Amino acid sequence: MSTIAMPVGRSNWGLTALPPLALYIHFPWCVKKCPYCDFNSHAQKNGLPEAEYIEALLRDLETCLPLIWGRPVTSIFMGGGTPSLFSAEAIDTLLAGIRARVKLLPDAEITLEANPGTFESDKFAGYRAAGVNRLSIGIQSFNPQHLQALGRIHNDDEARRAVEIAHQHFDNFNLDIMYALPQQTLEQALSDIDAAIACRPTHISAYHLTLEPNTLFHRYPPPLPDDDLAADMQDAIEAHLAAAGYEHYETSAFGQSGRRARHNLNYWTFGDYLGIGAGAHAKISFPDKIIRQMRYKQPGEYLQQMAAGSAVQTEEAVTQAQLPFEFMLNLLRLTDGFDLALFTERTGLPVTRVVHEIERAVADGLLERTLNHVRPTERGRRFLNTLLERFLAES
Protein backbone atom coordinates (compact mmCIF):
# COMPACT_ATOMS: atom_id res chain seq x y z
CA MET A 1 0.00 0.00 0.00
CA SER A 2 1.69 3.21 -1.14
CA THR A 3 1.94 6.27 1.09
CA ILE A 4 3.43 9.72 0.77
CA ALA A 5 6.13 10.45 3.33
CA MET A 6 5.77 13.70 5.23
CA PRO A 7 8.53 15.94 6.63
CA VAL A 8 9.61 15.66 10.24
CA GLY A 9 9.67 18.48 12.76
CA ARG A 10 5.91 18.79 13.27
CA SER A 11 3.78 19.33 16.35
CA ASN A 12 3.12 16.61 18.95
CA TRP A 13 0.22 15.10 17.01
CA GLY A 14 0.06 14.36 13.32
CA LEU A 15 0.46 11.83 10.55
CA THR A 16 3.86 10.61 9.41
CA ALA A 17 2.38 9.54 6.05
CA LEU A 18 -0.79 10.23 4.10
CA PRO A 19 -3.05 7.27 3.27
CA PRO A 20 -4.15 6.29 -0.25
CA LEU A 21 -6.70 8.61 -1.86
CA ALA A 22 -9.86 7.48 -3.66
CA LEU A 23 -12.49 9.49 -5.53
CA TYR A 24 -16.23 9.05 -4.99
CA ILE A 25 -18.73 10.62 -7.42
CA HIS A 26 -22.41 10.84 -6.51
CA PHE A 27 -25.23 10.75 -9.05
CA PRO A 28 -28.41 11.67 -7.16
CA TRP A 29 -31.17 10.65 -9.62
CA CYS A 30 -33.19 7.43 -9.87
CA VAL A 31 -36.18 6.44 -11.98
CA LYS A 32 -38.07 6.16 -8.66
CA LYS A 33 -37.24 6.15 -4.96
CA CYS A 34 -37.20 2.68 -3.39
CA PRO A 35 -39.12 2.43 -0.09
CA TYR A 36 -36.10 1.08 1.85
CA CYS A 37 -33.50 3.52 0.49
CA ASP A 38 -32.00 6.21 2.73
CA PHE A 39 -29.30 7.30 0.28
CA ASN A 40 -29.35 10.76 -1.28
CA SER A 41 -31.48 9.82 -4.28
CA HIS A 42 -34.28 11.69 -6.02
CA ALA A 43 -36.86 10.49 -8.53
CA GLN A 44 -36.12 11.68 -12.05
CA LYS A 45 -39.08 13.81 -13.14
CA ASN A 46 -38.20 16.28 -15.85
CA GLY A 47 -35.20 14.70 -17.54
CA LEU A 48 -31.57 14.72 -16.48
CA PRO A 49 -29.48 17.90 -16.61
CA GLU A 50 -26.73 15.63 -17.87
CA ALA A 51 -24.27 18.09 -19.40
CA GLU A 52 -24.80 20.64 -16.61
CA TYR A 53 -24.17 18.05 -13.91
CA ILE A 54 -21.01 16.66 -15.53
CA GLU A 55 -19.67 20.21 -15.87
CA ALA A 56 -20.48 20.88 -12.19
CA LEU A 57 -18.69 17.68 -11.11
CA LEU A 58 -15.53 18.72 -12.91
CA ARG A 59 -15.68 22.22 -11.41
CA ASP A 60 -16.22 20.61 -8.01
CA LEU A 61 -13.07 18.55 -8.51
CA GLU A 62 -11.11 21.63 -9.58
CA THR A 63 -12.03 23.53 -6.41
CA CYS A 64 -10.62 20.60 -4.36
CA LEU A 65 -7.27 20.34 -6.11
CA PRO A 66 -5.42 22.46 -3.51
CA LEU A 67 -6.48 19.92 -0.86
CA ILE A 68 -5.07 16.91 -2.72
CA TRP A 69 -2.37 18.40 -4.91
CA GLY A 70 0.18 15.85 -6.06
CA ARG A 71 -1.59 12.85 -4.55
CA PRO A 72 -2.42 9.96 -6.89
CA VAL A 73 -5.99 8.67 -7.07
CA THR A 74 -6.13 4.90 -6.59
CA SER A 75 -9.79 4.23 -7.44
CA ILE A 76 -13.02 5.86 -8.59
CA PHE A 77 -16.53 4.83 -7.56
CA MET A 78 -19.59 6.30 -9.26
CA GLY A 79 -22.57 5.72 -6.97
CA GLY A 80 -26.06 6.96 -6.45
CA GLY A 81 -28.82 7.17 -7.14
CA THR A 82 -28.43 5.48 -10.51
CA PRO A 83 -25.29 6.50 -12.42
CA SER A 84 -26.32 4.20 -15.29
CA LEU A 85 -29.07 6.69 -16.16
CA PHE A 86 -26.26 8.81 -17.64
CA SER A 87 -25.13 8.22 -21.20
CA ALA A 88 -21.83 6.60 -22.08
CA GLU A 89 -20.79 9.90 -23.68
CA ALA A 90 -21.38 11.74 -20.40
CA ILE A 91 -19.31 9.21 -18.43
CA ASP A 92 -16.55 9.43 -21.03
CA THR A 93 -16.49 13.24 -20.72
CA LEU A 94 -16.36 12.94 -16.93
CA LEU A 95 -13.53 10.41 -16.81
CA ALA A 96 -11.52 12.29 -19.43
CA GLY A 97 -11.92 15.47 -17.37
CA ILE A 98 -10.80 13.67 -14.21
CA ARG A 99 -7.68 12.31 -15.93
CA ALA A 100 -6.83 15.83 -17.09
CA ARG A 101 -7.01 17.18 -13.52
CA VAL A 102 -5.56 14.50 -11.23
CA LYS A 103 -3.00 11.73 -11.39
CA LEU A 104 -5.15 8.64 -11.85
CA LEU A 105 -3.10 5.47 -11.39
CA PRO A 106 -2.89 3.35 -14.57
CA ASP A 107 -4.40 0.33 -12.79
CA ALA A 108 -7.06 2.31 -10.93
CA GLU A 109 -10.28 0.44 -10.22
CA ILE A 110 -13.14 2.44 -11.79
CA THR A 111 -16.59 1.23 -10.68
CA LEU A 112 -20.02 2.31 -11.87
CA GLU A 113 -23.23 1.37 -10.04
CA ALA A 114 -25.96 0.16 -12.35
CA ASN A 115 -29.66 -0.67 -12.06
CA PRO A 116 -30.81 -3.69 -14.11
CA GLY A 117 -33.71 -1.60 -15.42
CA THR A 118 -31.24 0.67 -17.25
CA PHE A 119 -29.14 -1.96 -19.07
CA GLU A 120 -28.56 -1.57 -22.81
CA SER A 121 -25.69 -3.45 -24.43
CA ASP A 122 -24.40 -0.52 -26.51
CA LYS A 123 -24.46 1.82 -23.51
CA PHE A 124 -22.43 -0.56 -21.38
CA ALA A 125 -19.95 -1.14 -24.18
CA GLY A 126 -19.55 2.63 -24.17
CA TYR A 127 -18.96 2.67 -20.41
CA ARG A 128 -16.20 0.09 -20.86
CA ALA A 129 -14.61 2.08 -23.68
CA ALA A 130 -14.69 5.21 -21.49
CA GLY A 131 -12.56 3.43 -18.88
CA VAL A 132 -15.06 1.89 -16.46
CA ASN A 133 -13.55 -1.49 -15.55
CA ARG A 134 -15.93 -2.71 -12.84
CA LEU A 135 -19.72 -2.70 -12.42
CA SER A 136 -21.80 -2.96 -9.26
CA ILE A 137 -25.28 -4.18 -10.20
CA GLY A 138 -28.21 -3.67 -7.82
CA ILE A 139 -30.03 -6.97 -8.31
CA GLN A 140 -31.34 -7.26 -4.69
CA SER A 141 -33.45 -10.35 -5.51
CA PHE A 142 -34.30 -12.70 -8.37
CA ASN A 143 -37.77 -13.31 -6.92
CA PRO A 144 -40.43 -11.23 -8.75
CA GLN A 145 -42.62 -10.90 -5.65
CA HIS A 146 -39.74 -9.63 -3.54
CA LEU A 147 -38.61 -7.25 -6.26
CA GLN A 148 -42.11 -5.80 -6.31
CA ALA A 149 -42.18 -5.53 -2.51
CA LEU A 150 -38.84 -3.66 -2.62
CA GLY A 151 -40.17 -1.22 -5.21
CA ARG A 152 -37.51 -2.13 -7.78
CA ILE A 153 -38.05 -1.01 -11.38
CA HIS A 154 -36.73 -4.28 -12.86
CA ASN A 155 -38.08 -7.82 -12.88
CA ASP A 156 -36.25 -11.14 -12.61
CA ASP A 157 -35.83 -11.49 -16.39
CA GLU A 158 -34.26 -8.02 -16.60
CA ALA A 159 -31.93 -8.94 -13.74
CA ARG A 160 -30.62 -11.95 -15.65
CA ARG A 161 -30.37 -9.95 -18.87
CA ALA A 162 -28.30 -7.33 -17.03
CA VAL A 163 -25.87 -10.05 -15.95
CA GLU A 164 -25.58 -11.30 -19.55
CA ILE A 165 -24.71 -7.79 -20.75
CA ALA A 166 -22.23 -7.34 -17.91
CA HIS A 167 -20.43 -10.55 -18.94
CA GLN A 168 -20.21 -9.32 -22.54
CA HIS A 169 -18.24 -6.21 -21.60
CA PHE A 170 -16.72 -6.65 -18.12
CA ASP A 171 -14.61 -9.31 -16.46
CA ASN A 172 -15.11 -7.78 -13.01
CA PHE A 173 -18.52 -7.04 -11.54
CA ASN A 174 -20.41 -7.17 -8.25
CA LEU A 175 -23.99 -8.22 -7.57
CA ASP A 176 -25.90 -6.68 -4.65
CA ILE A 177 -28.27 -9.14 -2.98
CA MET A 178 -30.52 -8.41 0.02
CA TYR A 179 -31.97 -10.88 2.50
CA ALA A 180 -34.45 -10.79 5.40
CA LEU A 181 -36.94 -9.31 2.92
CA PRO A 182 -40.67 -8.90 3.58
CA GLN A 183 -42.20 -12.36 4.18
CA GLN A 184 -39.06 -14.06 2.85
CA THR A 185 -38.39 -17.68 3.84
CA LEU A 186 -34.98 -19.27 4.39
CA GLU A 187 -35.42 -21.28 1.19
CA GLN A 188 -36.16 -18.12 -0.80
CA ALA A 189 -33.12 -16.32 0.61
CA LEU A 190 -30.90 -19.24 -0.38
CA SER A 191 -32.52 -19.40 -3.82
CA ASP A 192 -31.51 -15.77 -4.36
CA ILE A 193 -27.91 -16.31 -3.28
CA ASP A 194 -27.59 -19.49 -5.35
CA ALA A 195 -28.98 -17.63 -8.37
CA ALA A 196 -26.38 -14.92 -7.79
CA ILE A 197 -23.58 -17.50 -7.57
CA ALA A 198 -24.81 -19.11 -10.80
CA CYS A 199 -24.34 -15.73 -12.53
CA ARG A 200 -20.56 -16.06 -11.91
CA PRO A 201 -19.85 -12.53 -10.68
CA THR A 202 -16.40 -11.83 -9.28
CA HIS A 203 -17.93 -10.28 -6.16
CA ILE A 204 -21.20 -10.51 -4.23
CA SER A 205 -22.46 -8.08 -1.58
CA ALA A 206 -25.09 -9.70 0.64
CA TYR A 207 -26.95 -7.16 2.77
CA HIS A 208 -29.47 -7.60 5.56
CA LEU A 209 -32.48 -5.36 4.86
CA THR A 210 -32.75 -2.80 7.62
CA LEU A 211 -35.45 -0.22 8.26
CA GLU A 212 -33.63 3.09 8.05
CA PRO A 213 -35.05 6.39 9.33
CA ASN A 214 -36.59 8.73 6.75
CA THR A 215 -37.69 5.85 4.51
CA LEU A 216 -41.17 4.65 3.59
CA PHE A 217 -40.43 1.24 5.13
CA HIS A 218 -39.54 2.91 8.42
CA ARG A 219 -42.86 4.79 8.49
CA TYR A 220 -44.88 1.78 7.33
CA PRO A 221 -42.88 -1.32 8.32
CA PRO A 222 -43.55 -4.42 6.22
CA PRO A 223 -43.70 -7.90 7.80
CA LEU A 224 -40.03 -8.94 8.08
CA PRO A 225 -38.42 -12.21 9.23
CA ASP A 226 -37.70 -12.27 12.96
CA ASP A 227 -34.14 -12.01 14.29
CA ASP A 228 -33.66 -15.77 14.62
CA LEU A 229 -34.73 -16.43 11.04
CA ALA A 230 -32.61 -13.55 9.75
CA ALA A 231 -29.58 -14.98 11.62
CA ASP A 232 -30.25 -18.40 10.06
CA MET A 233 -30.35 -16.73 6.64
CA GLN A 234 -27.04 -15.02 7.27
CA ASP A 235 -25.34 -18.24 8.40
CA ALA A 236 -26.68 -20.23 5.44
CA ILE A 237 -25.79 -17.51 2.91
CA GLU A 238 -22.23 -17.29 4.24
CA ALA A 239 -21.90 -21.09 4.02
CA HIS A 240 -23.17 -21.21 0.43
CA LEU A 241 -20.81 -18.42 -0.65
CA ALA A 242 -17.83 -20.06 1.05
CA ALA A 243 -18.61 -23.38 -0.65
CA ALA A 244 -18.68 -21.52 -4.00
CA GLY A 245 -15.21 -20.06 -3.41
CA TYR A 246 -16.13 -16.54 -2.31
CA GLU A 247 -13.94 -15.12 0.49
CA HIS A 248 -15.89 -13.40 3.26
CA TYR A 249 -13.55 -10.47 3.88
CA GLU A 250 -15.92 -7.79 5.21
CA THR A 251 -19.28 -7.76 7.00
CA SER A 252 -21.35 -7.94 3.79
CA ALA A 253 -18.68 -8.46 1.12
CA PHE A 254 -17.64 -11.72 -0.56
CA GLY A 255 -15.07 -11.84 -3.34
CA GLN A 256 -13.37 -14.38 -5.52
CA SER A 257 -9.62 -14.67 -4.94
CA GLY A 258 -7.94 -11.39 -5.91
CA ARG A 259 -11.28 -9.67 -6.56
CA ARG A 260 -11.92 -7.75 -3.36
CA ALA A 261 -13.42 -4.29 -3.92
CA ARG A 262 -10.36 -2.05 -3.82
CA HIS A 263 -12.32 1.20 -3.50
CA ASN A 264 -14.34 -0.09 -0.54
CA LEU A 265 -11.24 -1.56 1.07
CA ASN A 266 -9.79 1.92 1.08
CA TYR A 267 -12.78 3.10 3.15
CA TRP A 268 -12.52 0.11 5.47
CA THR A 269 -8.81 0.69 6.09
CA PHE A 270 -9.46 4.36 6.98
CA GLY A 271 -7.99 5.67 3.77
CA ASP A 272 -8.79 9.09 2.32
CA TYR A 273 -11.54 9.83 -0.18
CA LEU A 274 -12.61 12.93 -2.01
CA GLY A 275 -16.35 13.06 -2.64
CA ILE A 276 -17.87 15.20 -5.40
CA GLY A 277 -21.49 15.53 -6.44
CA ALA A 278 -24.72 16.26 -4.60
CA GLY A 279 -24.53 15.11 -0.98
CA ALA A 280 -21.08 13.55 -1.36
CA HIS A 281 -18.82 13.22 1.68
CA ALA A 282 -15.05 13.48 1.87
CA LYS A 283 -12.31 12.56 4.34
CA ILE A 284 -8.96 14.18 3.62
CA SER A 285 -5.79 13.88 5.71
CA PHE A 286 -3.02 16.42 6.15
CA PRO A 287 0.17 16.19 8.22
CA ASP A 288 -1.48 17.95 11.15
CA LYS A 289 -5.23 17.32 10.76
CA ILE A 290 -7.99 15.24 9.17
CA ILE A 291 -11.02 17.03 7.76
CA ARG A 292 -14.47 15.91 6.66
CA GLN A 293 -16.64 17.65 4.09
CA MET A 294 -20.24 17.32 2.93
CA ARG A 295 -21.73 18.82 -0.22
CA TYR A 296 -25.27 20.20 -0.57
CA LYS A 297 -27.69 17.29 -0.95
CA GLN A 298 -30.50 18.62 -3.12
CA PRO A 299 -29.42 18.38 -6.77
CA GLY A 300 -30.76 21.81 -7.69
CA GLU A 301 -29.09 23.48 -4.73
CA TYR A 302 -25.85 21.64 -5.44
CA LEU A 303 -25.82 22.96 -9.01
CA GLN A 304 -26.60 26.50 -7.84
CA GLN A 305 -23.91 26.47 -5.15
CA MET A 306 -21.37 24.98 -7.51
CA ALA A 307 -22.12 27.69 -10.08
CA ALA A 308 -21.49 30.25 -7.30
CA GLY A 309 -18.06 28.78 -6.59
CA SER A 310 -18.31 25.94 -4.07
CA ALA A 311 -20.84 23.25 -3.17
CA VAL A 312 -19.27 22.38 0.19
CA GLN A 313 -21.98 22.81 2.82
CA THR A 314 -19.99 21.74 5.88
CA GLU A 315 -16.34 21.20 6.69
CA GLU A 316 -14.92 20.21 10.04
CA ALA A 317 -11.76 18.76 11.53
CA VAL A 318 -11.97 15.33 13.13
CA THR A 319 -10.92 15.67 16.76
CA GLN A 320 -8.37 13.38 18.39
CA ALA A 321 -11.13 12.13 20.69
CA GLN A 322 -13.22 11.02 17.67
CA LEU A 323 -10.42 9.20 15.88
CA PRO A 324 -10.40 5.87 17.80
CA PHE A 325 -14.10 5.26 17.15
CA GLU A 326 -13.95 6.40 13.53
CA PHE A 327 -10.98 4.12 12.87
CA MET A 328 -12.61 1.11 14.53
CA LEU A 329 -15.95 1.80 12.82
CA ASN A 330 -14.23 0.90 9.56
CA LEU A 331 -11.47 -1.57 10.43
CA LEU A 332 -13.57 -3.86 12.60
CA ARG A 333 -15.80 -4.59 9.60
CA LEU A 334 -12.90 -6.58 8.13
CA THR A 335 -12.99 -10.30 8.82
CA ASP A 336 -9.18 -10.46 8.97
CA GLY A 337 -8.91 -7.40 11.23
CA PHE A 338 -5.83 -5.17 11.09
CA ASP A 339 -2.25 -4.69 12.21
CA LEU A 340 -2.03 -2.45 15.26
CA ALA A 341 0.60 -0.31 13.53
CA LEU A 342 -2.09 0.82 11.09
CA PHE A 343 -3.95 2.56 13.93
CA THR A 344 -1.01 4.90 14.51
CA GLU A 345 -0.32 5.30 10.79
CA ARG A 346 -3.89 6.37 9.95
CA THR A 347 -4.78 8.36 13.10
CA GLY A 348 -1.46 9.77 14.33
CA LEU A 349 -2.29 8.44 17.81
CA PRO A 350 -0.36 5.87 19.86
CA VAL A 351 -1.84 2.40 20.20
CA THR A 352 -2.03 2.97 23.95
CA ARG A 353 -5.15 5.07 23.24
CA VAL A 354 -7.11 1.89 22.44
CA VAL A 355 -5.23 -0.93 24.18
CA HIS A 356 -7.46 -0.92 27.28
CA GLU A 357 -10.68 -1.28 25.28
CA ILE A 358 -9.09 -3.90 23.02
CA GLU A 359 -8.14 -6.00 26.03
CA ARG A 360 -11.64 -5.68 27.50
CA ALA A 361 -13.15 -6.80 24.19
CA VAL A 362 -10.73 -9.75 24.06
CA ALA A 363 -11.81 -10.77 27.58
CA ASP A 364 -15.46 -10.61 26.48
CA GLY A 365 -14.87 -12.77 23.43
CA LEU A 366 -15.44 -10.00 20.89
CA LEU A 367 -11.85 -9.66 19.65
CA GLU A 368 -8.80 -11.86 19.15
CA ARG A 369 -5.34 -10.36 19.54
CA THR A 370 -1.79 -11.41 18.86
CA LEU A 371 1.18 -9.18 19.63
CA ASN A 372 0.71 -7.02 16.54
CA HIS A 373 -2.73 -7.88 15.16
CA VAL A 374 -6.41 -7.57 16.12
CA ARG A 375 -9.41 -9.23 14.51
CA PRO A 376 -13.07 -9.60 15.46
CA THR A 377 -14.23 -13.03 16.57
CA GLU A 378 -17.34 -14.59 15.08
CA ARG A 379 -19.18 -13.24 18.12
CA GLY A 380 -17.65 -9.80 17.58
CA ARG A 381 -18.78 -9.78 13.94
CA ARG A 382 -22.29 -10.81 14.91
CA PHE A 383 -22.51 -8.14 17.64
CA LEU A 384 -20.48 -5.49 15.83
CA ASN A 385 -22.41 -2.51 17.21
CA THR A 386 -21.80 -3.72 20.77
CA LEU A 387 -18.09 -4.03 19.97
CA LEU A 388 -17.89 -0.58 18.39
CA GLU A 389 -19.60 1.07 21.38
CA ARG A 390 -16.51 0.19 23.44
CA PHE A 391 -14.47 2.62 21.42
CA LEU A 392 -17.17 5.28 21.34
CA ALA A 393 -17.00 5.28 25.13
CA GLU A 394 -13.23 5.68 24.86
CA SER A 395 -13.82 8.75 22.70
Side-chain angles (χ1 to χ4, degrees):
M1 187 174 291
S2 63
T3 56
I4 299 176
M6 303 306 302
V8 297
R10 296 171 289 103
S11 60
N12 291 333
W13 176 83
L15 302 179
T16 58
L18 299 183
L21 174 69
L23 175 62
Y24 174 76
I25 307 169
H26 193 74
F27 293 77
W29 290 281
C30 287
V31 174
K32 60 178 285 191
K33 182 81 170 179
C34 295
Y36 60 85
C37 178
D38 71 336
F39 294 121
N40 182 35
S41 59
H42 306 265
Q44 174 192 355
K45 295 179 180 178
N46 300 312
L48 289 175
E50 188 175 79
E52 183 184 5
Y53 195 69
I54 296 298
E55 182 182 350
L57 289 173
L58 293 174
R59 286 203 310 272
D60 196 349
L61 178 59
E62 285 182 352
T63 65
C64 300
L65 291 180
L67 302 178
I68 61 167
W69 198 254
R71 298 178 63 181
V73 173
T74 61
S75 63
I76 297 174
F77 193 100
M78 291 173 271
T82 307
S84 55
L85 288 175
F86 278 64
S87 68
E89 292 76 15
I91 299 301
D92 183 47
T93 298
L94 175 62
L95 291 177
I98 291 169
R99 294 187 192 96
R101 290 164 174 81
V102 301
K103 180 183 179 182
L104 182 63
L105 293 184
D107 65 343
E109 177 189 87
I110 303 176
T111 302
L112 182 136
E113 281 189 338
N115 186 306
T118 65
F119 267 71
E120 301 166 14
S121 186
D122 289 347
K123 180 195 284 189
F124 280 79
Y127 290 153
R128 187 68 185 89
V132 175
N133 53 32
R134 183 176 183 271
L135 293 181
S136 184
I137 308 172
I139 298 290
Q140 314 312 352
S141 176
F142 289 93
N143 183 304
Q145 287 76 35
H146 291 141
L147 287 171
Q148 186 174 16
L150 291 173
R152 303 297 291 174
I153 66 168
H154 67 276
N155 59 34
D156 52 322
D157 289 336
E158 288 172 318
R160 290 181 172 84
R161 176 59 179 155
V163 171
E164 290 177 8
I165 293 173
H167 271 298
Q168 290 172 14
H169 305 294
F170 294 86
D171 64 358
N172 190 14
F173 65 89
N174 167 71
L175 298 184
D176 281 347
I177 299 292
M178 299 178 76
Y179 64 93
L181 305 180
Q183 298 182 320
Q184 187 179 44
T185 66
L186 175 61
E187 292 73 21
Q188 289 171 332
L190 290 179
S191 177
D192 270 346
I193 209 67
D194 289 340
I197 291 169
C199 291
R200 298 177 292 112
T202 52
H203 192 281
I204 293 175
S205 299
Y207 298 104
H208 186 300
L209 174 64
T210 55
L211 303 185
E212 300 290 352
N214 302 316
T215 65
L216 189 65
F217 272 5
H218 191 266
R219 292 195 295 273
Y220 306 101
L224 299 179
D226 61 30
D227 290 344
D228 289 340
L229 178 53
D232 289 343
M233 290 178 180
Q234 180 179 344
D235 290 340
I237 285 169
E238 290 175 2
H240 278 229
L241 286 166
Y246 288 87
E247 301 170 349
H248 186 195
Y249 68 96
E250 186 270 344
T251 301
S252 304
F254 304 79
Q256 293 178 346
S257 179
R259 294 295 197 171
R260 296 182 176 188
R262 287 157 52 190
H263 184 89
N264 290 344
L265 271 173
N266 187 58
Y267 291 143
W268 297 325
T269 53
F270 210 49
D272 278 359
Y273 51 93
L274 177 63
I276 60 175
H281 291 250
K283 168 191 170 271
I284 307 173
S285 299
F286 300 87
D288 58 348
K289 63 182 177 180
I290 299 173
I291 67 169
R292 290 197 179 276
Q293 293 180 335
M294 185 185 76
R295 270 108 180 113
Y296 287 91
K297 293 180 67 174
Q298 292 294 327
E301 188 173 18
Y302 169 80
L303 290 170
Q304 292 173 3
Q305 294 291 339
M306 198 61 252
S310 175
V312 176
Q313 184 175 18
T314 63
E315 179 178 307
E316 60 183 11
V318 182
T319 67
Q320 292 185 43
Q322 294 170 323
L323 281 170
F325 175 74
E326 294 214 5
F327 178 89
M328 295 297 179
L329 181 65
N330 292 280
L331 271 293
L332 289 180
R333 295 181 63 91
L334 296 177
T335 305
D336 295 336
F338 62 94
D339 289 337
L340 285 168
L342 190 64
F343 176 79
T344 297
E345 180 183 327
R346 295 290 157 87
T347 68
L349 299 172
V351 175
T352 52
R353 287 289 295 268
V354 291
V355 164
H356 176 67
E357 293 303 330
I358 287 175
E359 294 301 335
R360 282 186 59 208
V362 169
D364 291 340
L366 299 171
L367 288 179
E368 297 173 353
R369 181 189 172 182
T370 62
L371 178 63
N372 299 315
H373 194 85
V374 169
R375 59 173 291 179
T377 62
E378 182 178 347
R379 174 180 170 83
R381 293 195 300 272
R382 190 58 57 88
F383 298 99
L384 183 58
N385 287 340
T386 299
L387 174 57
L388 290 172
E389 285 170 2
R390 305 294 183 90
F391 300 95
L392 184 60
E394 172 73 10
S395 298

